[in-house]
Amino acid sequence: MFRPQLGYLPQLGYLVVAFAVLASAQTPLCTAADVATEINRPIRVERDLTFRRIENQAVAADLYRPDDNEVYPLVIMIHGGGWSTGDKWNVKDHAREMAQAGFVALAINYRLAPQHPMPQQIDDCRVALRWANEHAKDWHADPSKLCLWGYSAGAHLAAWMATDPQPGEPEIAAVVAGGAPCDFEFIPPQSISLAHVMGGTRAEVPEAYAAASPLSYASSDDAPFFFFHGDSDLIVPSSSSCRMFDRLRELQVAAEYHVVDSQGHLLTFINAKARRLAIDFLRKHTTECQ
């Protein structure tokens, strides 16, 4: 497995620009060959739904759903960006595709480091999770089929919520985690690359890195997981999500892993086959969910 050297770690900051470029490029999400299972439903969108106000800041979400009155599974979608950049619009095309495929997709924001260090990001996601569960029926979404989807930092937050549920949170039906850092062993102890997020280096605050590692919370009652990761990822090594996948399989949790061949962190984000497999995985586990 590739383990990034110190020279690669500053590339975490590259996400600031790169995710913005990808989101604004309007890259077509699917070709005809990639969408054999697609149902191109008309959809409707509601933007900037505030789910939390804290410190005079509104934290908002965008809702994408099929334009009808049928009831569909609900998917909370969490953007990447190194916990310090990005916005719900980064996943707008993915959310549209999810809605066209027969899901109610809620793309959420969360407060960003360094102004808001960890665990404030996960706190916002947990508020969004409870809020979505409470309002699901208003959106013709089924709260018993509530899923999580995230990429990069968003995948980390989704995996953390799913493996470390708090009192009062709804049960998760399935999780999609793309390019996911599931632990932080790949960060050298003295590296400052995530000090602005975690409050120090891994050597200085090891407990913060350990507490933020979804791998440490994995248990036999976790929701099914679908991982996808580029095998040329220089930003988040695939070994991190592989360890999580292996641990879940040891615990006999339903889990699948898709390797995106010859792709790095950013191109894996827009990989059409990975998206289709993720949608099929969510369909499978929400159809089975009673």
Side-chain angles (χ1 to χ4, degrees), residues 24-213:
S24 62
Q26 297 295 323
T27 304
L29 285 180
C30 298
T31 65
D34 293 320
V35 295
T37 59
E38 183 60 271
I39 300 175
N40 290 306
R41 296 173 175 85
I43 67 168
R44 62 175 181 260
V45 182
E46 297 179 51
R47 301 192 186 280
D48 297 321
L49 305 174
T50 298
F51 64 84
R52 188 178 199 188
R53 290 189 180 275
I54 185 168
E55 300 173 354
N56 297 318
Q57 179 178 351
V59 189
D62 295 339
L63 184 75
Y64 302 76
R65 62 151 290 121
D67 191 16
D68 57 40
N69 291 318
E70 298 297 318
V71 176
Y72 296 99
L74 176 61
V75 183
I76 296 176
M77 307 187 70
I78 312 173
H79 70 82
W83 305 274
S84 57
T85 188
D87 185 88
K88 52 189 169 57
W89 61 266
N90 291 129
V91 297
K92 66 182 186 301
D93 289 339
H94 295 73
R96 284 182 176 275
E97 182 182 32
M98 195 71 71
Q100 289 170 345
F103 294 87
V104 176
L106 186 74
I108 67 170
N109 277 347
Y110 49 87
R111 290 170 296 164
L112 302 172
Q115 183 178 358
H116 302 284
M118 201 73 72
Q120 294 182 61
Q121 292 85 359
I122 190 70
D123 290 345
D124 289 344
C125 291
R126 292 190 188 282
V127 171
L129 178 64
R130 293 191 295 270
W131 178 80
N133 183 60
E134 292 168 1
H135 290 274
K137 292 183 179 179
D138 297 336
W139 309 325
H140 294 277
D142 187 343
S144 73
K145 300 178 180 180
L146 197 162
C147 305
L148 302 175
W149 180 104
Y151 193 79
S152 191
H156 161 262
L157 294 168
W160 189 357
M161 279 200 294
T163 55
D164 183 31
Q166 300 299 297
E169 291 181 351
E171 184 175 352
I172 304 302
V175 183
V176 172
C182 296
D183 62 17
F184 295 97
E185 294 298 313
F186 67 95
I187 303 292
Q190 303 297 336
S191 172
I192 63 170
S193 60
L194 292 182
H196 67 294
V197 177
M198 298 295 188
T201 67
R202 193 157 66 87
E204 293 168 338
V205 288
E207 69 283 354
Y209 288 78
S213 296

Side-chain angles (χ1 to χ4, degrees), residues 1 32 34 62 74 82 102 150 156 168 178 190 220 232 236 240 256 267 270:
M1 293 291 180
D34 293 320
D62 295 339
L74 176 61
H156 161 262
Q190 303 297 336
S220 61
S232 298
V236 178
S240 183
E256 297 180 17
L267 290 180
I270 58 171

